[in-house]
Short mmCIF file of all heavy atoms in Angstrom, two decimals:
data_model
loop_
_atom_site.label_atom_id
_atom_site.label_comp_id
_atom_site.label_asym_id
_atom_site.label_seq_id
_atom_site.Cartn_x
_atom_site.Cartn_y
_atom_site.Cartn_z
N ASP A 57 11.82 -9.46 -3.65
CA ASP A 57 11.90 -8.70 -4.92
C ASP A 57 11.48 -7.25 -4.69
O ASP A 57 12.15 -6.32 -5.14
CB ASP A 57 10.99 -9.32 -5.99
CG ASP A 57 11.43 -10.68 -6.47
OD1 ASP A 57 12.61 -11.04 -6.28
OD2 ASP A 57 10.58 -11.39 -7.05
N PHE A 58 10.36 -7.07 -4.01
CA PHE A 58 9.82 -5.75 -3.71
C PHE A 58 10.82 -4.93 -2.89
O PHE A 58 11.07 -3.75 -3.17
CB PHE A 58 8.49 -5.92 -2.97
CG PHE A 58 7.78 -4.66 -2.61
CD1 PHE A 58 7.41 -3.74 -3.58
CD2 PHE A 58 7.44 -4.40 -1.29
CE1 PHE A 58 6.72 -2.58 -3.25
CE2 PHE A 58 6.75 -3.25 -0.94
CZ PHE A 58 6.39 -2.33 -1.92
N PHE A 59 11.43 -5.57 -1.90
CA PHE A 59 12.41 -4.89 -1.06
C PHE A 59 13.67 -4.53 -1.85
O PHE A 59 14.23 -3.45 -1.68
CB PHE A 59 12.76 -5.74 0.15
CG PHE A 59 11.75 -5.69 1.26
CD1 PHE A 59 10.53 -5.03 1.11
CD2 PHE A 59 12.00 -6.30 2.47
CE1 PHE A 59 9.61 -4.98 2.14
CE2 PHE A 59 11.08 -6.26 3.51
CZ PHE A 59 9.89 -5.60 3.34
N GLU A 60 14.12 -5.43 -2.72
CA GLU A 60 15.30 -5.14 -3.53
C GLU A 60 15.05 -3.94 -4.44
O GLU A 60 15.94 -3.10 -4.63
CB GLU A 60 15.69 -6.37 -4.36
CG GLU A 60 16.29 -7.48 -3.51
CD GLU A 60 16.50 -8.78 -4.27
OE1 GLU A 60 15.85 -9.01 -5.32
OE2 GLU A 60 17.32 -9.59 -3.80
N GLU A 61 13.84 -3.84 -4.96
CA GLU A 61 13.49 -2.67 -5.79
C GLU A 61 13.51 -1.39 -4.94
O GLU A 61 13.95 -0.34 -5.40
CB GLU A 61 12.11 -2.86 -6.42
CG GLU A 61 12.05 -3.92 -7.49
CD GLU A 61 10.64 -4.19 -7.98
OE1 GLU A 61 9.76 -3.31 -7.83
OE2 GLU A 61 10.42 -5.29 -8.52
N GLY A 62 13.00 -1.49 -3.70
CA GLY A 62 13.02 -0.34 -2.80
C GLY A 62 14.43 0.12 -2.49
O GLY A 62 14.72 1.32 -2.46
N VAL A 63 15.32 -0.84 -2.26
CA VAL A 63 16.72 -0.50 -1.99
C VAL A 63 17.33 0.17 -3.22
O VAL A 63 18.04 1.17 -3.11
CB VAL A 63 17.52 -1.77 -1.60
CG1 VAL A 63 19.02 -1.47 -1.56
CG2 VAL A 63 17.05 -2.32 -0.26
N ALA A 64 17.04 -0.37 -4.40
CA ALA A 64 17.60 0.17 -5.64
C ALA A 64 17.16 1.61 -5.90
O ALA A 64 17.89 2.38 -6.52
CB ALA A 64 17.21 -0.72 -6.82
N THR A 65 15.99 1.97 -5.40
CA THR A 65 15.48 3.33 -5.61
C THR A 65 15.70 4.22 -4.38
O THR A 65 15.11 5.29 -4.28
CB THR A 65 13.98 3.31 -5.98
OG1 THR A 65 13.25 2.66 -4.93
CG2 THR A 65 13.75 2.61 -7.30
N ASN A 66 16.52 3.74 -3.44
CA ASN A 66 16.88 4.50 -2.23
C ASN A 66 15.67 4.89 -1.38
O ASN A 66 15.62 5.98 -0.82
CB ASN A 66 17.70 5.74 -2.58
CG ASN A 66 19.05 5.38 -3.14
OD1 ASN A 66 19.70 4.47 -2.64
ND2 ASN A 66 19.46 6.09 -4.17
N ARG A 67 14.71 3.99 -1.30
CA ARG A 67 13.54 4.25 -0.45
C ARG A 67 13.70 3.47 0.85
O ARG A 67 14.21 2.35 0.86
CB ARG A 67 12.27 3.83 -1.17
CG ARG A 67 12.04 4.68 -2.42
CD ARG A 67 10.83 4.28 -3.20
NE ARG A 67 9.62 4.58 -2.43
CZ ARG A 67 8.43 4.07 -2.73
NH1 ARG A 67 8.30 3.27 -3.75
NH2 ARG A 67 7.38 4.39 -2.00
N GLY A 68 13.20 4.04 1.92
CA GLY A 68 13.20 3.34 3.19
C GLY A 68 12.13 2.25 3.20
O GLY A 68 11.13 2.35 2.50
N VAL A 69 12.35 1.26 4.01
CA VAL A 69 11.43 0.13 4.05
C VAL A 69 10.02 0.56 4.48
O VAL A 69 9.02 0.08 3.95
CB VAL A 69 11.98 -1.03 4.91
CG1 VAL A 69 12.03 -0.65 6.38
CG2 VAL A 69 11.18 -2.30 4.70
N LEU A 70 9.94 1.51 5.42
CA LEU A 70 8.63 1.95 5.87
C LEU A 70 7.92 2.81 4.83
O LEU A 70 6.70 2.90 4.83
CB LEU A 70 8.73 2.67 7.21
CG LEU A 70 9.21 1.80 8.38
CD1 LEU A 70 9.24 2.60 9.67
CD2 LEU A 70 8.35 0.55 8.53
N GLU A 71 8.68 3.40 3.92
CA GLU A 71 8.05 4.10 2.79
C GLU A 71 7.33 3.10 1.89
O GLU A 71 6.32 3.43 1.28
CB GLU A 71 9.11 4.82 1.94
CG GLU A 71 9.69 6.06 2.54
CD GLU A 71 10.70 6.68 1.59
OE1 GLU A 71 10.29 7.21 0.55
OE2 GLU A 71 11.91 6.60 1.90
N LEU A 72 7.87 1.89 1.82
CA LEU A 72 7.28 0.86 0.96
C LEU A 72 6.05 0.22 1.58
O LEU A 72 5.04 0.02 0.89
CB LEU A 72 8.31 -0.25 0.66
CG LEU A 72 9.55 0.14 -0.11
CD1 LEU A 72 10.49 -1.05 -0.20
CD2 LEU A 72 9.19 0.65 -1.48
N ILE A 73 6.15 -0.12 2.85
CA ILE A 73 5.07 -0.92 3.45
C ILE A 73 4.18 -0.15 4.40
O ILE A 73 3.12 -0.65 4.77
CB ILE A 73 5.63 -2.17 4.17
CG1 ILE A 73 6.38 -1.77 5.43
CG2 ILE A 73 6.49 -3.00 3.25
CD1 ILE A 73 6.53 -2.90 6.41
N GLY A 74 4.60 1.02 4.84
CA GLY A 74 3.85 1.76 5.84
C GLY A 74 4.34 1.38 7.23
O GLY A 74 5.27 0.61 7.40
N ASN A 75 3.68 1.93 8.24
CA ASN A 75 4.12 1.71 9.62
C ASN A 75 3.54 0.46 10.28
O ASN A 75 3.95 0.09 11.36
CB ASN A 75 3.75 2.93 10.48
CG ASN A 75 4.56 4.14 10.11
OD1 ASN A 75 5.73 4.02 9.75
ND2 ASN A 75 3.94 5.30 10.16
N ASP A 76 2.57 -0.19 9.64
CA ASP A 76 1.90 -1.33 10.24
C ASP A 76 2.23 -2.60 9.45
O ASP A 76 1.64 -2.86 8.39
CB ASP A 76 0.40 -1.08 10.25
CG ASP A 76 -0.38 -2.10 11.06
OD1 ASP A 76 0.17 -3.19 11.35
OD2 ASP A 76 -1.54 -1.82 11.39
N VAL A 77 3.17 -3.39 9.97
CA VAL A 77 3.59 -4.61 9.29
C VAL A 77 2.43 -5.59 9.15
O VAL A 77 2.24 -6.20 8.10
CB VAL A 77 4.78 -5.27 10.02
CG1 VAL A 77 5.13 -6.62 9.42
CG2 VAL A 77 6.00 -4.36 9.99
N ALA A 78 1.63 -5.73 10.20
CA ALA A 78 0.51 -6.66 10.16
C ALA A 78 -0.50 -6.28 9.08
O ALA A 78 -0.99 -7.14 8.34
CB ALA A 78 -0.18 -6.74 11.52
#
Side-chain angles (χ1 to χ4, degrees):
D57 292 341
F58 181 58
F59 281 7
E60 288 171 339
E61 290 173 22
V63 170
T65 58
N66 293 319
R67 296 178 68 195
V69 68
L70 295 181
E71 286 181 71
L72 297 175
I73 70 160
N75 291 325
D76 190 343
V77 173

